[in-house]
Amino acid sequence: MRVISVMNQKGGVGKTTTTLNLAHALARKGKRVLAIDLDPQAHLSAGFGIDTRSQAGVDDVLMENGSIRELKVTVRENLDLLPAGVRLGEMEHRAEGGAKRGWLLKDAIARVRGKDYVLVDCPPSSGILGMNALLASREVLVPVAGDFFSLQGLSRLMSIFEHIEGALNQRTDKWVVLTRFYERRRLAREVRDKILAYFPGRVLRTAIRETVALAESPGFGQTIFEYQGKGNGATDYLALADDLIKGRVLKVSPAVRAKSA
Ligand SMILES: Nc1ncnc2c1ncn2[C@@H]1O[C@H](COP(=O)(O)OP(=O)(O)O)[C@@H](O)[C@H]1O
Ligand SMILES: [Mg+2]
């Protein structure tokens, strides 16, 4: 079972869009998937078209009131969702529980059976929820949007990873996915080269193109495969699922290597 947190403390980079559509892509390829909505805004749950506003989910798991098995809901074939739950927002501000609080998600996921992939949609912050995600996962997937400002948060994100890895003495495998990518823009290609220099051998081969259908589909409670199954968005997320399954990454060209030196 691969546990992968989709993480970037920056908002609007495509974490939720990626979790939603990658989860469905993997499920359509026959993988058994659990998606966890760890963002109090609950956009992932809404994207699957279910109203979870009155429902408990990962909030109860983190407050030790319930298990994933009891609280998950089946949203598609091969695909279960653990909703955010209405009280998830309170978690970030709770002080009691001490050091144990960071490990609650890992302990809960350790009891999950019969899944190939667990994808965790993280909030745009690095508080206790992000800590739970990091401690629970051996892999992180970092969506990076193809604009200049995306580069600015990366060194901070890397230092968060290194801090945790140092404290735990465990390595987290990092994958980067380029999102909201305009192939024809020189800026996007420059950003891609910078990211490649920053994460050599860790950038998944498929860049997710900027596609209006990807922004529209959650409003209809549909994944891209239901909303526009033959467009760029569906093509890109299916290819990304294969990248993740096979570990297919972009090669670092000599020019990029020279820049990073
Ligand atoms: N590849 C894409 N093409 C077009 N719009 C996108 C794409 N990826 C994300 N978006 C849109 O960008 C906004 C932010 O994406 P979202 O996945 O919610 O980011 P995050 O979860 O990191 O905050 C949303 O409105 C989403 O629909
Ligand atoms: Mg989000």
Side-chain angles (χ1 to χ4, degrees):
M1 183 169 85
R2 290 173 72 181
V3 184
I4 306 172
S5 283
V6 182
M7 185 176 280
N8 188 333
Q9 83 281 11
K10 229 178 162 66
V13 296
K15 290 183 290 297
T16 301
T17 306
T18 296
T19 310
L20 178 75
N21 294 301
L22 184 60
H24 201 192
L26 288 165
R28 288 169 64 97
K29 287 177 181 292
K31 307 292 182 196
R32 296 162 303 171
V33 182
L34 170 68
I36 298 180
D37 190 352
L38 198 62
D39 187 339
Q41 294 183 82
H43 288 168
L44 182 67
S45 309
F48 280 118
I50 60 166
D51 182 0
T52 56
R53 273 172 297 185
S54 59
Q55 206 166 326
V58 71
D59 57 347
D60 261 13
V61 171
L62 296 180
M63 291 174 191
E64 298 178 276
N65 291 331
S67 69
I68 295 178
R69 189 164 49 83
E70 294 158 350
L71 293 162
K72 67 178 165 46
V73 280
T74 299
V75 288
R76 301 291 187 276
E77 193 180 350
N78 290 332
L79 178 48
D80 288 348
L81 169 73
L82 180 63
V86 281
R87 298 173 68 200
L88 189 59
E90 294 170 28
M91 282 300 295
E92 293 276 33
H93 312 292
R94 285 198 164 193
E96 76 268 28
K100 177 182 156 219
R101 289 197 316 145
W103 296 96
L104 293 166
L105 188 62
K106 185 187 177 78
D107 294 345
I109 290 176
R111 287 192 283 274
V112 170
R113 296 285 172 270
K115 295 284 181 238
D116 301 306
Y117 284 82
V118 179
L119 299 183
V120 185
D121 184 25
C122 293
S125 65
S126 44
I128 191 69
L129 295 177
M131 177 72 89
N132 267 280
L134 261 183
L135 295 179
S137 44
R138 292 301 309 274
E139 300 174 73
V140 291
L141 176 60
V142 181
V144 179
D147 62 76
F148 173 74
F149 292 111
S150 297
L151 296 169
Q152 296 191 327
L154 285 181
S155 57
R156 189 164 154 250
L157 190 63
M158 285 302 281
S159 58
I160 294 171
F161 291 154
E162 279 161 17
H163 179 76
I164 300 271
E165 288 178 343
L168 293 182
N169 197 20
Q170 108 178 357
R171 265 184 55 78
T172 310
D173 283 336
K174 297 161 204 78
W175 306 101
V176 177
V177 53
L178 295 161
T179 57
R180 316 206 60 174
F181 196 75
Y182 289 94
E183 298 167 286
R184 287 192 294 274
R185 262 196 203 166
R186 187 156 57 100
L187 174 65
R189 295 196 300 270
E190 281 175 15
V191 168
R192 179 185 59 199
D193 285 352
K194 289 224 168 70
I195 290 165
L196 259 175
Y198 214 93
F199 295 98
R202 305 311 304 177
V203 182
L204 294 172
R205 199 161 81 179
T206 306
I208 308 299
R209 288 168 281 188
E210 177 80 18
T211 310
V212 68
L214 282 171
E216 290 168 350
S217 64
F220 297 87
Q222 293 181 329
T223 71
I224 196 63
F225 303 104
E226 295 149 350
Y227 185 74
Q228 195 185 79
K230 297 224 179 327
N232 288 346
T235 305
D236 290 350
Y237 274 109
L238 278 176
L240 186 73
D242 278 334
D243 292 349
L244 198 64
I245 291 168
K246 296 173 185 150
R248 279 191 324 215
V249 291
L250 281 175
K251 289 214 175 63
V252 186
S253 72
V256 170
R257 215 174 288 137
K259 270 190 217 164
S260 66

